[in-house]
Amino acid sequence: MKTKMKTLGIETSCDETAAAVVEDGSKIISNIVASQIDIHARYGGIVPEVASRQHLLAIIPVINEAMVEAEISWQDIDGIAVTYGPGLAGSLLVGVNAAKAIALAKKLLITGVNHLEAHIYANFLSEAKNLPSPLKGEGGERVSCRVSFPCLCLIVSGGHSDLVLMRGHGQFEKLGRTLDDAAGEAFDKAARILGLGYPGGPAIEQAAISGKPCLSLPRAWLKNSYDFSFSGLKTALWHLVQREEILANPPRVADAAASFQCAVVDVLVAKTIEAANNLPVKQILLSGGVAANKLLTQRFLNSSPIPVLVPPPHLCTDNAAMVAACGYYHFQTKQTSSYDLDVVPSLSIG
Ligand code: KG4
Ligand code: ZN
């Protein structure tokens, strides 16, 4: 094995066609993401058939661009890591088949990666930073920080909200999950109710800047459980918007966005901190698109008793660098896939 191992990551599980080259599971050499957001925005959400057709158009140019930007040839690549689930079947198929074809043609190792594990591994990239903890007397700039096991992982994306105990590489135990809507899905639906566009998370975050979290919305605490539930909150927002005719009053839309964001963040932070207090974990790792939310990271910063790692926003949302990072650790333990690798749209973690 070479001292510096280069992994090509490929990600097509949802609406981003992405390819990246990562060295030793940590250093990003290139990271290309072709987003379909503009195409799906006109429908207010992802249309699976449109997504898979777009992946087909973009996959080869995106992989080529990742190779060109990395200024390397195929002989420099040691293995290919590709997301094989969870996600949209038609979208996953494009990435998995592209990866298998290239692996066969270039005689490269291939490994199938769980998209949820990949989100966690965004924290192993050198760009992930440790939030300075005021509780521990730290201050100043975020600093790079190595992951220490065991750690607690909060994965909050458009499709999942999972609280996972990570004991070591590839060792995951699910502690909690959403019983209905994922946190990102709730943001997307709330933005739709408030007429704020798609994707909802960034739109709500932006609208909330000029609002106050002054409207009363419920929090599903689900006592004695690390599970989450966000669909009641979404329904409560819908009733509030109808009852108080909020859409006719832009400042109230901002207040509703701020109140909704606060309700989601309250629950995510409180449940994660509770788990961190009950378990012998050394760090909290945030990941998934919702981890790009500034209120969420700020609240963790203010209340976590242990260090909190979070990737920069562009590595919280879907990308292939996190897939390559996860794949690197598969290759370290000789965990490779055969050309039989198939997609598993309902794959879970732990
Ligand atoms: O991880 P991701 O890119 O894709 C999935 O695996 O689902 O997450 C996308 C989700 C979307 O629901 C989006 O609204 C949400 O992450 N999101 C945010 C923010 N940026 C993206 N939610 C809250 N605040 C944000 N800044
Ligand atoms: Zn994702």
Side-chain angles (χ1 to χ4, degrees):
M1 178 94 51
K2 291 188 234 166
T3 46
K4 298 232 178 278
M5 177 169 183
K6 290 190 179 60
T7 307
L8 171 70
I10 298 176
E11 157 65 40
T12 63
S13 67
C14 193
D15 62 342
E16 257 97 28
T17 317
V21 177
V22 171
E23 194 172 272
D24 288 345
S26 155
K27 185 177 169 197
I28 298 178
I29 311 291
S30 67
N31 188 22
I32 309 297
V33 180
S35 173
Q36 305 176 5
I37 282 178
D38 293 344
I39 296 163
H40 297 288
R42 74 182 81 140
Y43 305 107
I46 297 161
V47 183
E49 182 67 12
V50 173
S52 53
R53 284 170 189 269
Q54 283 303 317
H55 284 306
L56 264 182
L57 293 174
I59 188 72
I60 299 301
V62 164
I63 292 172
N64 282 341
E65 200 178 332
M67 293 297 291
V68 168
E69 193 166 293
E71 296 180 346
I72 54 171
S73 66
W74 285 106
Q75 285 96 309
D76 300 315
I77 295 287
D78 298 278
I80 301 178
V82 62
T83 303
Y84 73 106
L88 302 169
S91 294
L92 289 163
L93 270 170
V94 176
V96 166
N97 282 315
K100 287 199 288 193
I102 295 170
L104 188 64
K106 308 290 181 190
K107 298 189 172 51
L108 289 168
L109 294 175
I110 183 171
T111 188
V113 165
N114 180 323
H115 181 80
L116 300 171
E117 295 180 13
H119 268 303
I120 292 174
Y121 275 88
N123 282 291
F124 289 73
L125 294 165
S126 59
E127 290 178 33
K129 301 288 187 223
N130 188 23
L131 294 178
S133 166
L135 299 178
K136 296 207 150 186
E138 296 167 17
E141 289 296 299
R142 293 165 162 213
V143 287
S144 288
C145 175
R146 298 259 299 277
V147 173
S148 315
F149 298 124
C151 55
L152 184 64
C153 308
L154 177 68
I155 313 167
V156 270
S157 69
H160 295 83
S161 299
D162 290 331
L163 195 55
V164 175
L165 175 63
M166 182 179 189
R167 293 206 167 82
H169 289 295
Q171 294 172 43
F172 303 98
E173 182 188 329
K174 182 144 68 186
L175 305 171
R177 69 197 159 97
T178 182
L179 301 180
D180 38 59
D181 292 349
E185 185 182 0
F187 269 104
D188 293 337
K189 288 177 177 171
R192 210 165 165 169
I193 291 170
L194 293 171
L196 293 172
Y198 174 85
I204 296 244
E205 181 168 42
Q206 182 61 33
I209 292 171
S210 56
K212 292 192 194 66
C214 53
L215 302 177
S216 173
L217 287 169
R219 279 108 174 112
W221 293 112
L222 306 179
K223 291 275 176 218
N224 302 320
S225 149
Y226 294 129
D227 287 338
F228 303 102
S229 166
F230 296 109
S231 91
L233 168 62
K234 169 198 66 192
T235 308
L237 176 72
W238 188 84
H239 284 298
L240 183 77
V241 166
Q242 305 306 312
R243 201 172 54 240
E244 300 199 8
E245 297 182 1
I246 281 179
L247 296 186
N249 185 347
R252 290 305 263 174
V253 171
D255 288 344
S259 304
F260 178 85
Q261 176 177 247
C262 189
V264 175
V265 166
D266 275 356
V267 176
L268 291 174
V269 173
K271 291 214 158 220
T272 308
I273 300 281
E274 187 189 347
N277 283 329
N278 290 342
L279 298 161
V281 285
K282 296 186 178 141
Q283 268 178 335
I284 293 173
L285 272 51
L286 306 181
S287 62
V290 180
N293 186 279
K294 290 185 201 65
L295 181 68
L296 182 81
T297 49
Q298 189 60 42
R299 291 282 297 281
F300 269 110
L301 170 70
N302 292 339
S303 55
S304 175
I306 54 175
V308 180
L309 260 180
V310 64
H314 70 283
L315 297 175
C316 286
T317 49
D318 286 352
N319 65 86
M322 65 185 195
V323 178
C326 185
Y328 167 80
Y329 289 96
H330 284 196
F331 290 128
Q332 292 300 298
T333 54
K334 312 257 179 293
Q335 194 186 324
T336 56
S337 305
S338 71
Y339 295 125
D340 292 340
L341 177 67
D342 201 356
V343 303
V344 184
S346 60
L347 190 65
S348 67
I349 185 169

